[in-house]
Amino acid sequence: MGPNGRVSGRLPYINLDDCWGATDLEGNRADSGRYTWSPARFPSGIPALTAWLHARGFLFGLYTAAGNLTCSTGGRVSPSGAKGAPGSGGHYGQDAATFASWGVDYIKLDWCRMPDAELLQMQVTLLPLHSTPTCQAETWSMS
């Protein structure tokens, strides 16, 4: 094990999967529509986590879903009855820019709860951001 705690020869990514986002009970999108993290699960915030991981030589990956909700509830059901944390549906460009501002290196885009009508918007808006100054994510994954 190296001085940064990383095992030699291993990939440097630490990826955070589903249920990191705030539910509507927690104010899942700010008034501006910007995605936010769950303050109960990440009291210091995702940017602080990213900075902490980068300082130790790791790259950080983050999950989002193509639809309006993610696949899992994470044990949380909101007062509106929504079963899942918010996804990126309808906010593709905004979320890509938000994740980039947080220093995210890898984005996993899950094909969960994706309405067919949004497919073209997602392809036109999100995928070209991969290599622009707006989104510096090194790697994108769609599942």
Side-chain angles (χ1 to χ4, degrees), residues 46-131:
I46 297 296
L49 174 61
T50 304
W52 188 88
L53 290 168
H54 285 165
R56 286 155 182 78
F58 292 99
L59 298 172
F60 179 61
L62 194 62
Y63 165 99
T64 190
N68 292 329
L69 295 171
T70 64
C71 295
S72 179
T73 65
R76 303 173 294 171
V77 178
S78 68
S80 69
K83 295 180 180 176
S88 289
H91 296 270
Y92 306 117
Q94 183 178 31
D95 288 355
T98 296
F99 301 155
S101 76
W102 295 346
V104 173
D105 304 294
Y106 172 97
I107 298 168
K108 176 188 173 188
L109 180 65
D110 204 335
W111 206 252
C112 195
R113 304 184 197 206
M114 177 64 177
D116 292 338
E118 286 192 24
L119 177 59
L120 181 60
Q121 179 194 358
M122 189 276 302
Q123 291 173 330
V124 170
T125 307
L126 184 60
L127 296 180
L129 293 171
H130 176 270
S131 59

